[in-house]
Amino acid sequence: MCCQHRLCSDVLFDFTGTDNSEVLPESIPSAPGTLPHFIEEPDDAYIIKSNPIALRCKARPAMQIFFKCNGEWVHQNEHVSEESLDESSGLKVREVFINVTRQQVEDFHGPEDYWCQCVAWSHLGTSKSRKASVRIAYLRKNFEQDPQGREVPIEGMIVLHCRPPEGVPAAEVEWLKNEEPIDSEQDENIDTRADHNLIIRQARLSDSGNYTCMAANIVAKRRSLSATVVVYVNGGWSSWTEWSACNVRCGRGWQKRSRTCTNPAPLNGGAFCEGMSVQKITCTSLCPVDGSWEVWSEWSVCSPECEHLRIRECTAPAPRNGGKFCEGLSQESENCTDGLCILDKKPLHEIKPQSIESASDIALYSGLGAAVVAVAVLVIGVTLYRRSQSDYGVDVIDSSALTGNSLLLNSAMQPDLTVSRTYSGPICLQDPLDKELMTESSLFNPLSDIKVKVQSSFMVSLGVSERAEYHGKNHSRTFPHGNNHSFSTMHPRNKMPYIQNLSSLPTRTELRTTGVFGHLGGRLVMPNTGVSLLIPHGAIPEENSWEIYMSINQGEPSLQSDGSEVLLSPEVTCGPPDMIVTTPFALTIPHCADVSSEHWNIHLKKRTQQGKWEEVMSVEDESTSCYCLLDPFACHVLLDSFGTYALTGEPITDCAVKQLKVAVFGCMSCNSLDYNLRVYCVDNTPCAFQEVVSDERHQGGQLLEEPKLLHFKGNTFSLQISVLDIPPFLWRIKPFTACQEVPFSRVWCSNRQPLHCAFSLERYTPTTTQLSCKICIRQLKGHEQILQVQTSILESEREAITFFAQEDSTFPAQTGPKAFKIPYSIRQRICATFDTPNAKGKDWQMLAQKNSINRNLSYFATQSSPSAVILNLWEARHQHDGDLDSLACALEEIGRTHTKLSNISESQLDEADFNYSRQNGL
């Protein structure tokens, strides 16, 4: 046993010698006792800068403890040992220290970190401690990811990312807001635990500030770049105020109401409210009319009191709308005997014997009775004569208006429903012989290309036949076709009006207007057609001027529809065609489509020099050659070449709708007891209705009711027109003519000629001067409109109805600044501001968006001044608008941060609008 201990001592002594290469055995011979137990093991340590670190370990019972670093024993001279006795167990306790320097760690190049381990000996054997790693501590300067500033709406989520610099040990992250630490434990809305990121679940206004990510370890602290968080509030509109009073005492004026962007007000750069802050509507205040006296009536007979009276009424005109009543007396009386009255107040010359007075009364009453009987006999005779002649009545109407219940003169020949010819005036029927002649060849010989369709012998329809040949059968009270009776030779006095009405009225092929324009530009308007041309300022080079013309084709359309394609607008020509402009001009063309991209595919077409039509673009397409802006009733086209243009539509579904304008006109017939009603269904374009108005003026027709819109669907169902609620015992309509039906194809393709149906009504007596009835126009399984006719058939008593609700400018050609609503100085400032790209997007693109121009913006990007082209389109679109409010609101929303626009006030725009309206008579 002593030998073994001595051997151990020798071995230990040898380790403490100078020979450091000698290897310490892993174990010693066994001895009584226990294995060493480590009370303290070495911990991982970091070398900060150049300061060495101390590794410590303590074990019991331990005879020796040595450190082994990176697999090699540390020399005993580098150990510092302390030995003590554990009083409770009596075992020997040994504690050892070593120092590790930065140089030692840097010189080590191994697959793992620098490490050290304690090995303790006892009599029983050895024990090893855990490995403690030693690393050089550092923290780099630059963050791998700095937090970025954010702008978020209120109650939005905020996430700020932070990746701290690389370091040993890994850096701990702390967040600062405005240099104050953030404690996520005290604010449940904030979370800083997720991978060093800062998360604010619902942003509050108080969360706005500068946020900094702070990284720190045992070596140093690092600060990230500050991130500015802005919590903004988008503006919201307040409620509308009440409408203001009308700005004029009487006549046409305007009312307005306003709202403010204060519910809530935009904060911290939040978006301003979208929409208009001011709304204006037109108002009409009835002007007071003061009353005025009619002329005095005749003096009454002398009364028993020797007085006679005369009266007058306050009806020339009567006071209305709060006007003053007539001043003065409504009744006057005076003595009718120059004061010569007897005692009972009778004039002296009336005092007669009783017998003479009685005889005079008998003679008077007998004469009155005979007169009444004579008048009654005369009235009865005239009435019976009229009724005997009424069986021969004939209505002349458009051929396309008759379907079903028809007796064709040649059943094998179908009527042509696409082309028709109508009378341009009433047909005068003077006697029964005339009626016979009008049903046969003497009527049609002057126009051999006309065919006839008779409906129950009361209705005749005239239409242009494809062949100049008349087909007919002999009927009672008609002449055979071979008879060549001359209409003019039989009754010249009666037939000349008919021939003139049928064929000699002037026909117009086009409407045309011209104007001379120069560098300042201008506007060319076709009055009451909805067609206009805007030449921008600068489109024509300086010192040049051109005579520009514009025309509308009112003849047969040259554009032939292909398949289901429908002509939706007039054919508009502008020129001269060889003129070159430097800036696109704006052409406004009305259309009759109920605009919907789901139901229509609308195209812009242009006629080539060879007379063929080619498609320029589809309205929904993207194009850089031209631009189409489709409004509910008109299309505004930006073009760079003149020519002939038109809009066509291809219905995609049966729900495609054409808007038709329906109107009723009336006039007296040559027969004083007859009254003619003509019902028109035309495309809802001003120029189409103007053609109807012009024709009716030639015929002496009077508009009886304001026109209405009918939505006609492309579902192949026909149109029915009927007369309802005719007053019985006052008027009658001829049998089988109260309802007429028009085929679908005739209505759907009615752009060739205005479609109309005629009805003839007859009075029972000449004393009937008022007509009241209803005209029902409806599409089977579609829309319906009712025209209420309430009129006097006497022209002197009839109240005129305005043909056009809004008259165009009386000056078709407007040149220079007065043609534009936006003053040139304001226009320049707008263009200078928005043509320059803006980082926040407040440039011409937003100007377009705020003016409801959201499509095909690539077209404007190709222009030298996109803002100028947008304003040109705005000018064309708002030609008839009451004010500049829409533009003012757009500038208010997107221009409040632009100093160049700060001096464009609402009062300036109002003044510009007033000047434009005054110059153009609006």
Side-chain angles (χ1 to χ4, degrees):
M1 189 69 175
C2 294
C3 179
Q4 289 179 353
H5 179 71
R6 189 166 48 249
L7 176 61
C8 292
S9 300
D10 292 342
V11 172
L12 292 176
F13 176 79
D14 290 340
F15 176 76
T16 59
T18 58
D19 190 2
N20 193 31
S21 63
E22 193 172 334
V23 178
L24 188 69
E26 291 294 332
S27 64
I28 60 175
S30 61
T34 61
L35 288 173
H37 170 70
F38 284 97
I39 301 174
E40 183 178 350
E41 295 184 85
D43 293 325
D44 295 338
Y46 298 94
I47 296 177
I48 302 174
K49 297 181 181 180
S50 298
N51 300 320
I53 55 98
L55 297 179
R56 172 198 307 255
C57 64
K58 181 189 295 187
R60 68 180 179 189
M63 297 173 57
Q64 288 292 344
I65 298 177
F66 292 98
F67 274 93
K68 192 176 189 179
C69 293
N70 300 320
E72 297 182 359
W73 294 103
V74 179
H75 198 277
Q76 184 181 9
N77 294 338
E78 297 177 14
H79 291 72
V80 176
S81 299
E82 293 181 359
E83 187 175 310
S84 61
L85 185 65
D86 187 356
E87 296 180 355
S88 60
S89 61
L91 297 177
K92 187 183 294 185
V93 177
R94 185 174 293 275
E95 185 175 5
V96 176
F97 304 87
I98 65 169
N99 288 328
V100 178
T101 65
R102 183 185 184 98
Q103 188 65 40
Q104 289 176 296
V105 176
E106 290 179 347
D107 291 341
F108 172 70
H109 302 284
E112 55 185 351
D113 292 335
Y114 190 98
W115 59 269
C116 291
Q117 183 182 37
C118 286
V119 180
W121 282 266
S122 70
H123 294 288
L124 189 59
T126 62
S127 295
K128 296 180 181 179
S129 70
R130 63 177 294 274
K131 290 182 179 180
S133 63
V134 179
R135 303 172 68 186
I136 298 175
Y138 67 93
L139 184 62
R140 301 194 183 279
K141 292 183 178 181
N142 297 326
F143 278 74
E144 295 184 5
Q145 182 179 5
D146 287 300
Q148 302 296 317
R150 296 285 306 277
E151 292 183 3
V152 295
I154 193 167
E155 296 185 356
M157 177 178 285
I158 303 174
V159 178
L160 298 180
H161 298 279
C162 175
R163 293 176 61 188
E166 180 185 353
V168 175
E172 297 290 334
V173 172
E174 181 184 22
W175 284 91
L176 305 178
K177 175 191 172 186
N178 298 332
E179 303 302 324
E180 294 292 332
I182 296 176
D183 188 356
S184 60
E185 299 293 333
Q186 296 181 359
D187 192 344
E188 296 180 354
N189 194 39
I190 297 178
D191 185 4
T192 58
R193 297 169 298 176
D195 197 20
H196 306 308
N197 298 328
L198 173 66
I199 300 175
I200 301 177
R201 297 182 179 88
Q202 286 187 323
R204 303 154 295 192
L205 288 176
S206 59
D207 292 325
S208 297
N210 295 321
Y211 287 81
T212 307
C213 180
M214 181 73 72
N217 65 4
I218 59 177
V219 179
K221 291 184 177 181
R222 302 281 188 255
R223 291 171 57 96
S224 70
L225 298 176
S226 293
T228 301
V229 172
V230 176
V231 180
Y232 61 85
V233 178
N234 291 326
W237 288 114
S238 65
S239 300
W240 287 104
T241 62
E242 297 295 329
W243 287 105
S244 66
C246 201
N247 69 323
V248 294
R249 179 174 176 268
C250 70
R252 187 180 179 87
W254 51 262
Q255 295 174 276
K256 72 178 189 177
R257 64 176 182 175
S258 60
R259 57 181 178 175
T260 57
C261 190
T262 56
N263 186 32
L267 292 175
N268 298 334
F272 195 75
C273 304
E274 293 188 359
M276 301 174 62
S277 61
V278 177
Q279 279 186 345
K280 288 187 180 180
I281 59 173
T282 58
C283 56
T284 302
S285 301
L286 298 176
C287 297
V289 177
D290 295 336
S292 181
W293 291 113
E294 289 278 4
V295 297
W296 286 103
S297 66
E298 298 294 330
W299 287 103
S300 67
V301 298
C302 203
S303 69
E305 288 78 17
C306 303
E307 290 183 344
H308 58 181
L309 303 175
R310 66 175 182 176
I311 61 174
R312 58 179 179 176
E313 295 182 348
C314 188
T315 58
R320 59 180 183 270
N321 306 330
K324 297 179 181 179
F325 197 78
C326 304
E327 295 182 358
L329 298 175
S330 63
Q331 178 177 313
E332 280 187 351
S333 65
E334 64 179 22
N335 191 286
C336 52
T337 62
D338 295 331
L340 300 177
C341 272
I342 59 176
L343 189 61
D344 60 355
K345 295 186 179 180
K346 287 186 179 181
L348 293 176
H349 66 274
E350 290 186 2
I351 300 176
K352 298 179 180 179
Q354 185 67 32
S355 60
I356 298 176
E357 184 174 328
S358 300
S360 300
D361 290 344
I362 292 173
L364 174 63
Y365 293 143
S366 298
L368 290 175
V372 169
V373 171
V375 170
V377 170
L378 179 62
V379 169
I380 292 173
V382 170
T383 303
L384 292 176
Y385 176 77
R386 288 291 301 151
R387 290 185 177 179
S388 66
Q389 300 300 318
S390 64
D391 293 337
Y392 297 96
V394 177
D395 282 342
V396 180
I397 64 173
D398 183 271
S399 65
S400 63
L402 303 177
T403 60
N405 299 326
S406 302
L407 177 62
L408 292 178
L409 297 182
N410 183 359
S411 60
M413 178 179 172
Q414 296 299 321
D416 185 354
L417 298 178
T418 61
V419 181
S420 62
R421 179 175 297 169
T422 62
Y423 291 111
S424 56
I427 297 180
C428 304
L429 304 179
Q430 303 295 336
D431 51 48
L433 182 57
D434 288 349
K435 296 176 173 58
E436 285 185 316
L437 291 176
M438 290 194 62
T439 61
E440 263 306 335
S441 60
S442 60
L443 173 62
F444 299 104
N445 279 339
L447 300 172
S448 59
D449 64 339
I450 294 180
K451 62 185 180 181
V452 176
K453 182 169 73 175
V454 179
Q455 181 166 339
S456 302
S457 75
F458 287 99
M459 191 178 302
V460 178
S461 173
L462 302 180
V464 177
S465 174
E466 292 180 359
R467 297 181 298 168
E469 182 179 356
Y470 174 79
H471 299 270
K473 295 181 180 180
N474 294 339
H475 296 276
S476 60
R477 299 188 300 174
T478 64
F479 292 102
H481 177 64
N483 293 353
N484 191 13
H485 293 273
S486 172
F487 193 88
S488 60
T489 57
M490 296 192 65
H491 293 281
R493 67 186 186 278
N494 297 337
K495 305 308 180 286
M496 288 304 294
Y498 165 68
I499 299 297
Q500 179 182 0
N501 286 334
L502 184 65
S503 61
S504 64
L505 283 177
T507 58
R508 301 176 311 280
T509 59
E510 68 174 21
L511 291 174
R512 186 182 178 93
T513 185
T514 62
V516 178
F517 297 90
H519 182 70
L520 296 180
R523 193 190 302 265
L524 190 61
V525 178
M526 191 81 72
N528 298 323
T529 64
V531 178
S532 64
L533 181 67
L534 183 77
I535 307 296
H537 181 282
I540 300 175
E542 293 189 40
E543 301 180 357
N544 286 358
S545 62
W546 286 84
E547 182 180 10
I548 298 177
Y549 64 85
M550 186 168 60
S551 63
I552 300 175
N553 179 21
Q554 289 194 308
E556 188 74 12
S558 61
L559 176 56
Q560 301 299 324
S561 302
D562 297 332
S564 61
E565 199 172 44
V566 181
L567 185 61
L568 299 177
S569 76
E571 296 174 2
V572 179
T573 302
C574 53
D578 57 343
M579 177 180 169
I580 299 176
V581 293
T582 58
T583 302
F585 62 88
L587 178 63
T588 298
I589 306 176
H591 66 82
C592 61
D594 190 356
V595 179
S596 174
S597 59
E598 299 178 358
H599 307 309
W600 281 106
N601 188 9
I602 299 178
H603 306 274
L604 176 69
K605 291 195 172 183
K606 180 181 181 181
R607 188 171 63 192
T608 64
Q609 294 181 350
Q610 292 75 26
K612 296 183 179 180
W613 286 84
E614 61 182 16
E615 181 176 331
V616 178
M617 68 174 295
S618 173
V619 171
E620 297 297 326
D621 286 347
E622 298 284 329
S623 173
T624 57
S625 60
C626 65
Y627 186 90
C628 289
L629 180 61
L630 197 64
D631 278 345
F633 299 103
C635 182
H636 311 283
V637 189
L638 294 175
L639 300 162
D640 54 12
S641 62
F642 291 93
T644 301
Y645 296 90
L647 289 174
T648 64
E650 183 179 357
I652 301 175
T653 67
D654 288 348
C655 295
V657 171
K658 275 184 65 175
Q659 295 180 348
L660 303 180
K661 181 171 288 187
V662 294
V664 57
F665 289 79
C667 69
M668 289 291 293
S669 173
C670 293
N671 186 335
S672 60
L673 293 180
D674 288 349
Y675 191 76
N676 295 326
L677 295 178
R678 288 185 290 274
V679 182
Y680 288 86
C681 298
V682 298
D683 291 347
N684 184 34
T685 58
C687 49
F689 187 60
Q690 188 187 46
E691 184 177 354
V692 171
V693 170
S694 179
D695 290 342
E696 282 295 327
R697 280 173 177 161
H698 282 291
Q699 300 182 73
Q702 180 74 27
L703 184 64
L704 303 182
E705 170 70 344
E706 290 189 6
K708 295 185 178 180
L709 284 184
L710 180 74
H711 299 286
F712 192 79
K713 288 186 177 181
N715 55 10
T716 71
F717 287 99
S718 59
L719 185 72
Q720 282 188 351
I721 304 175
S722 54
V723 183
L724 309 173
D725 297 346
I726 301 174
F729 308 113
L730 297 177
W731 292 88
R732 66 176 179 177
I733 189 170
K734 297 179 182 180
F736 310 108
T737 64
C739 180
Q740 302 181 22
E741 188 168 327
V742 186
F744 169 82
S745 59
R746 179 69 175 89
V747 182
W748 192 248
C749 303
S750 63
N751 52 278
R752 295 179 180 272
Q753 181 178 350
L755 168 70
H756 86 274
C757 294
F759 300 88
S760 181
L761 280 69
E762 182 183 12
R763 295 179 288 172
Y764 282 98
T765 65
T767 58
T768 301
T769 61
Q770 298 293 323
L771 172 61
S772 175
C773 64
K774 293 179 181 178
I775 308 293
C776 176
I777 304 102
R778 75 183 187 98
Q779 184 184 18
L780 300 180
K781 297 186 179 181
H783 190 213
E784 177 183 85
Q785 280 289 12
I786 300 291
L787 297 177
Q788 181 70 51
V789 176
Q790 187 82 34
T791 186
S792 171
I793 64 174
L794 300 180
E795 187 172 355
S796 59
E797 299 179 3
R798 187 183 299 137
E799 182 178 354
I801 299 177
T802 305
F803 285 132
F804 298 100
Q806 182 177 17
E807 294 287 333
D808 282 324
S809 170
T810 55
F811 305 101
Q814 302 165 308
T815 60
K818 67 180 181 181
F820 303 97
K821 302 191 75 171
I822 306 172
Y824 185 63
S825 58
I826 294 179
R827 182 189 184 93
Q828 283 183 311
R829 274 180 280 172
I830 294 175
C831 294
T833 301
F834 292 113
D835 280 346
T836 304
N838 186 283
K840 295 185 177 180
K842 295 184 177 180
D843 51 17
W844 64 266
Q845 297 187 53
M846 186 168 287
L847 179 65
Q849 179 184 357
K850 294 300 181 182
N851 283 283
S852 302
I853 303 172
N854 303 313
R855 185 188 52 79
N856 196 11
L857 295 184
S858 58
Y859 171 81
F860 299 97
T862 62
Q863 305 298 321
S864 59
S865 176
S867 302
V869 180
I870 292 171
L871 294 180
N872 293 339
L873 191 58
W874 186 94
E875 288 275 4
R877 193 179 191 184
H878 295 81
Q879 177 181 352
H880 294 297
D881 281 7
D883 49 44
L884 290 164
D885 277 347
S886 62
L887 181 62
C889 288
L891 296 179
E892 181 183 12
E893 291 178 23
I894 64 178
R896 57 179 58 248
T897 59
H898 289 291
T899 57
K900 295 180 182 178
L901 295 180
S902 60
N903 54 350
I904 301 179
S905 63
E906 183 178 357
S907 61
Q908 284 180 301
L909 292 173
D910 284 341
E911 181 182 359
D913 178 64
F914 174 77
N915 292 334
Y916 178 85
S917 301
R918 182 180 61 183
Q919 292 168 356
N920 295 279
L922 298 180

